[in-house]
mmCIF file of all heavy atoms in Angstrom:
data_model
loop_
_atom_site.group_PDB
_atom_site.id
_atom_site.type_symbol
_atom_site.label_atom_id
_atom_site.label_comp_id
_atom_site.label_asym_id
_atom_site.label_seq_id
_atom_site.Cartn_x
_atom_site.Cartn_y
_atom_site.Cartn_z
ATOM 1 N N PHE N 222 -26.990 14.941 -36.388
ATOM 2 C CA PHE N 222 -25.754 14.845 -37.094
ATOM 3 C C PHE N 222 -24.905 13.740 -36.340
ATOM 4 O O PHE N 222 -24.640 13.864 -35.135
ATOM 5 C CB PHE N 222 -25.144 16.202 -37.193
ATOM 6 C CG PHE N 222 -23.847 16.066 -37.856
ATOM 7 C CD1 PHE N 222 -23.632 15.514 -39.181
ATOM 8 C CD2 PHE N 222 -22.628 16.723 -37.333
ATOM 9 C CE1 PHE N 222 -22.424 15.395 -39.741
ATOM 10 C CE2 PHE N 222 -21.463 16.604 -37.997
ATOM 11 C CZ PHE N 222 -21.301 16.037 -39.233
ATOM 12 N N GLU N 223 -24.540 12.784 -37.138
ATOM 13 C CA GLU N 223 -23.675 11.761 -36.608
ATOM 14 C C GLU N 223 -22.258 12.146 -36.939
ATOM 15 O O GLU N 223 -21.897 12.257 -38.107
ATOM 16 C CB GLU N 223 -24.041 10.379 -37.172
ATOM 17 C CG GLU N 223 -23.676 9.207 -36.216
ATOM 18 C CD GLU N 223 -24.335 7.904 -36.797
ATOM 19 O OE1 GLU N 223 -25.623 7.765 -36.720
ATOM 20 O OE2 GLU N 223 -23.670 6.946 -37.153
ATOM 21 N N HIS N 224 -21.476 12.236 -35.978
ATOM 22 C CA HIS N 224 -20.081 12.663 -36.207
ATOM 23 C C HIS N 224 -18.972 12.123 -35.265
ATOM 24 O O HIS N 224 -19.402 11.369 -34.260
ATOM 25 C CB HIS N 224 -19.956 14.180 -36.188
ATOM 26 C CG HIS N 224 -20.334 14.860 -34.949
ATOM 27 N ND1 HIS N 224 -21.739 15.230 -34.655
ATOM 28 C CD2 HIS N 224 -19.657 15.065 -33.821
ATOM 29 C CE1 HIS N 224 -21.790 15.630 -33.383
ATOM 30 N NE2 HIS N 224 -20.531 15.534 -32.873
ATOM 31 N N ARG N 225 -17.791 12.349 -35.595
ATOM 32 C CA ARG N 225 -16.673 11.801 -34.799
ATOM 33 C C ARG N 225 -16.119 12.688 -33.864
ATOM 34 O O ARG N 225 -15.957 14.028 -34.165
ATOM 35 C CB ARG N 225 -15.565 11.309 -35.753
ATOM 36 C CG ARG N 225 -15.915 10.032 -36.415
ATOM 37 C CD ARG N 225 -15.036 9.806 -37.715
ATOM 38 N NE ARG N 225 -15.386 10.798 -38.771
ATOM 39 C CZ ARG N 225 -14.812 10.755 -39.860
ATOM 40 N NH1 ARG N 225 -13.934 9.859 -40.297
ATOM 41 N NH2 ARG N 225 -15.187 11.664 -40.795
ATOM 42 N N LEU N 226 -15.811 12.365 -32.696
ATOM 43 C CA LEU N 226 -15.258 13.248 -31.647
ATOM 44 C C LEU N 226 -13.890 12.491 -31.255
ATOM 45 O O LEU N 226 -13.770 11.360 -31.355
ATOM 46 C CB LEU N 226 -16.108 13.365 -30.438
ATOM 47 C CG LEU N 226 -17.374 14.170 -30.712
ATOM 48 C CD1 LEU N 226 -18.269 14.274 -29.471
ATOM 49 C CD2 LEU N 226 -17.207 15.559 -31.287
ATOM 50 N N LYS N 227 -12.943 13.402 -30.757
ATOM 51 C CA LYS N 227 -11.682 12.754 -30.280
ATOM 52 C C LYS N 227 -11.749 12.489 -28.813
ATOM 53 O O LYS N 227 -12.028 13.343 -28.032
ATOM 54 C CB LYS N 227 -10.496 13.749 -30.699
ATOM 55 C CG LYS N 227 -9.206 13.103 -30.697
ATOM 56 C CD LYS N 227 -8.181 14.099 -31.231
ATOM 57 C CE LYS N 227 -6.886 14.097 -30.465
ATOM 58 N NZ LYS N 227 -6.074 15.204 -30.711
ATOM 59 N N HIS N 228 -11.573 11.138 -28.609
ATOM 60 C CA HIS N 228 -11.488 10.692 -27.180
ATOM 61 C C HIS N 228 -10.179 11.174 -26.474
ATOM 62 O O HIS N 228 -9.265 11.540 -27.213
ATOM 63 C CB HIS N 228 -11.582 9.184 -27.158
ATOM 64 C CG HIS N 228 -11.848 8.571 -25.836
ATOM 65 N ND1 HIS N 228 -10.878 8.166 -24.900
ATOM 66 C CD2 HIS N 228 -13.013 8.315 -25.281
ATOM 67 C CE1 HIS N 228 -11.493 7.686 -23.872
ATOM 68 N NE2 HIS N 228 -12.816 7.772 -24.123
ATOM 69 N N LYS N 229 -10.357 11.371 -25.199
ATOM 70 C CA LYS N 229 -9.148 11.768 -24.467
ATOM 71 C C LYS N 229 -7.796 10.843 -24.801
ATOM 72 O O LYS N 229 -6.781 11.353 -24.913
ATOM 73 C CB LYS N 229 -9.414 11.640 -22.915
ATOM 74 C CG LYS N 229 -8.345 12.276 -22.103
ATOM 75 C CD LYS N 229 -8.804 12.269 -20.640
ATOM 76 C CE LYS N 229 -7.577 12.821 -19.673
ATOM 77 N NZ LYS N 229 -8.000 12.620 -18.311
ATOM 78 N N ASP N 230 -8.204 9.508 -25.040
ATOM 79 C CA ASP N 230 -7.052 8.697 -25.335
ATOM 80 C C ASP N 230 -6.614 8.733 -26.794
ATOM 81 O O ASP N 230 -5.821 7.928 -27.332
ATOM 82 C CB ASP N 230 -7.251 7.167 -24.844
ATOM 83 C CG ASP N 230 -8.552 6.658 -25.747
ATOM 84 O OD1 ASP N 230 -8.903 7.290 -26.758
ATOM 85 O OD2 ASP N 230 -9.068 5.576 -25.421
ATOM 86 N N GLY N 231 -7.215 9.622 -27.502
ATOM 87 C CA GLY N 231 -6.884 9.790 -28.925
ATOM 88 C C GLY N 231 -7.671 9.039 -29.956
ATOM 89 O O GLY N 231 -7.624 9.229 -31.156
ATOM 90 N N SER N 232 -8.538 8.076 -29.397
ATOM 91 C CA SER N 232 -9.378 7.297 -30.250
ATOM 92 C C SER N 232 -10.499 8.111 -30.879
ATOM 93 O O SER N 232 -10.735 9.104 -30.274
ATOM 94 C CB SER N 232 -9.742 5.955 -29.667
ATOM 95 O OG SER N 232 -10.655 6.351 -28.588
ATOM 96 N N VAL N 233 -11.192 7.502 -31.724
ATOM 97 C CA VAL N 233 -12.303 8.220 -32.347
ATOM 98 C C VAL N 233 -13.557 7.741 -31.691
ATOM 99 O O VAL N 233 -13.836 6.579 -31.444
ATOM 100 C CB VAL N 233 -12.395 7.885 -33.834
ATOM 101 C CG1 VAL N 233 -13.783 8.355 -34.458
ATOM 102 C CG2 VAL N 233 -11.317 8.725 -34.621
ATOM 103 N N VAL N 234 -14.438 8.653 -31.234
ATOM 104 C CA VAL N 234 -15.742 8.313 -30.693
ATOM 105 C C VAL N 234 -16.766 8.783 -31.738
ATOM 106 O O VAL N 234 -16.713 9.986 -32.157
ATOM 107 C CB VAL N 234 -15.930 8.968 -29.432
ATOM 108 C CG1 VAL N 234 -17.281 8.682 -28.721
ATOM 109 C CG2 VAL N 234 -14.806 8.586 -28.343
ATOM 110 N N TRP N 235 -17.665 7.951 -32.048
ATOM 111 C CA TRP N 235 -18.799 8.276 -32.869
ATOM 112 C C TRP N 235 -20.013 8.711 -31.981
ATOM 113 O O TRP N 235 -20.355 7.865 -31.060
ATOM 114 C CB TRP N 235 -19.160 7.066 -33.705
ATOM 115 C CG TRP N 235 -18.432 7.043 -35.032
ATOM 116 C CD1 TRP N 235 -17.368 6.114 -35.138
ATOM 117 C CD2 TRP N 235 -18.656 7.721 -36.191
ATOM 118 N NE1 TRP N 235 -16.903 6.387 -36.494
ATOM 119 C CE2 TRP N 235 -17.669 7.245 -37.163
ATOM 120 C CE3 TRP N 235 -19.568 8.699 -36.666
ATOM 121 C CZ2 TRP N 235 -17.570 7.802 -38.508
ATOM 122 C CZ3 TRP N 235 -19.498 9.126 -37.916
ATOM 123 C CH2 TRP N 235 -18.450 8.644 -38.790
ATOM 124 N N VAL N 236 -20.574 9.885 -32.284
ATOM 125 C CA VAL N 236 -21.674 10.200 -31.519
ATOM 126 C C VAL N 236 -22.866 10.659 -32.476
ATOM 127 O O VAL N 236 -22.639 11.122 -33.409
ATOM 128 C CB VAL N 236 -21.531 11.385 -30.421
ATOM 129 C CG1 VAL N 236 -20.588 11.045 -29.372
ATOM 130 C CG2 VAL N 236 -21.032 12.683 -31.212
ATOM 131 N N LEU N 237 -24.024 10.232 -31.897
ATOM 132 C CA LEU N 237 -25.264 10.766 -32.635
ATOM 133 C C LEU N 237 -25.659 11.993 -31.874
ATOM 134 O O LEU N 237 -26.010 11.936 -30.706
ATOM 135 C CB LEU N 237 -26.388 9.759 -32.649
ATOM 136 C CG LEU N 237 -27.704 10.175 -33.202
ATOM 137 C CD1 LEU N 237 -27.551 10.637 -34.638
ATOM 138 C CD2 LEU N 237 -28.746 9.169 -33.005
ATOM 139 N N ASP N 238 -25.483 13.181 -32.480
ATOM 140 C CA ASP N 238 -25.729 14.432 -31.867
ATOM 141 C C ASP N 238 -27.104 14.898 -32.311
ATOM 142 O O ASP N 238 -27.284 14.967 -33.539
ATOM 143 C CB ASP N 238 -24.642 15.455 -32.267
ATOM 144 C CG ASP N 238 -24.671 16.668 -31.464
ATOM 145 O OD1 ASP N 238 -25.362 16.695 -30.442
ATOM 146 O OD2 ASP N 238 -23.901 17.579 -31.786
ATOM 147 N N SER N 239 -27.983 15.132 -31.400
ATOM 148 C CA SER N 239 -29.299 15.756 -31.855
ATOM 149 C C SER N 239 -29.901 16.767 -30.873
ATOM 150 O O SER N 239 -29.625 16.574 -29.671
ATOM 151 C CB SER N 239 -30.264 14.545 -32.129
ATOM 152 O OG SER N 239 -31.076 14.338 -31.101
ATOM 153 N N GLY N 240 -30.497 17.745 -31.409
ATOM 154 C CA GLY N 240 -30.997 18.760 -30.411
ATOM 155 C C GLY N 240 -31.895 19.806 -31.136
ATOM 156 O O GLY N 240 -32.080 19.536 -32.370
ATOM 157 N N ARG N 241 -32.389 20.764 -30.440
ATOM 158 C CA ARG N 241 -33.162 21.799 -31.177
ATOM 159 C C ARG N 241 -33.079 23.078 -30.330
ATOM 160 O O ARG N 241 -32.790 23.080 -29.132
ATOM 161 C CB ARG N 241 -34.629 21.380 -31.397
ATOM 162 C CG ARG N 241 -35.465 21.301 -30.153
ATOM 163 C CD ARG N 241 -36.772 20.609 -30.438
ATOM 164 N NE ARG N 241 -37.502 21.309 -31.382
ATOM 165 C CZ ARG N 241 -38.744 20.940 -31.836
ATOM 166 N NH1 ARG N 241 -39.218 19.723 -31.303
ATOM 167 N NH2 ARG N 241 -39.408 21.579 -32.593
ATOM 168 N N VAL N 242 -33.221 24.148 -31.063
ATOM 169 C CA VAL N 242 -33.343 25.440 -30.405
ATOM 170 C C VAL N 242 -34.605 25.656 -29.642
ATOM 171 O O VAL N 242 -35.669 25.261 -30.239
ATOM 172 C CB VAL N 242 -33.140 26.495 -31.489
ATOM 173 C CG1 VAL N 242 -33.371 27.995 -30.838
ATOM 174 C CG2 VAL N 242 -31.741 26.515 -32.151
ATOM 175 N N TYR N 243 -34.570 25.893 -28.430
ATOM 176 C CA TYR N 243 -35.803 26.005 -27.728
ATOM 177 C C TYR N 243 -36.050 27.517 -27.269
ATOM 178 O O TYR N 243 -37.020 27.861 -26.683
ATOM 179 C CB TYR N 243 -35.869 25.170 -26.499
ATOM 180 C CG TYR N 243 -34.808 25.440 -25.292
ATOM 181 C CD1 TYR N 243 -35.152 26.223 -24.280
ATOM 182 C CD2 TYR N 243 -33.523 24.818 -25.472
ATOM 183 C CE1 TYR N 243 -34.216 26.520 -23.363
ATOM 184 C CE2 TYR N 243 -32.649 25.022 -24.471
ATOM 185 C CZ TYR N 243 -32.956 25.815 -23.403
ATOM 186 O OH TYR N 243 -32.090 26.124 -22.401
#
Side-chain angles (χ1 to χ4, degrees):
Chain N
F222 177 50
E223 203 166 299
H224 58 268
R225 285 161 290 183
L226 297 176
K227 199 168 138 195
H228 192 270
K229 188 177 177 183
D230 65 10
S232 65
V233 166
V234 176
W235 276 96
V236 293
L237 172 64
D238 193 4
S239 98
R241 73 191 295 179
V242 173
Y243 64 93

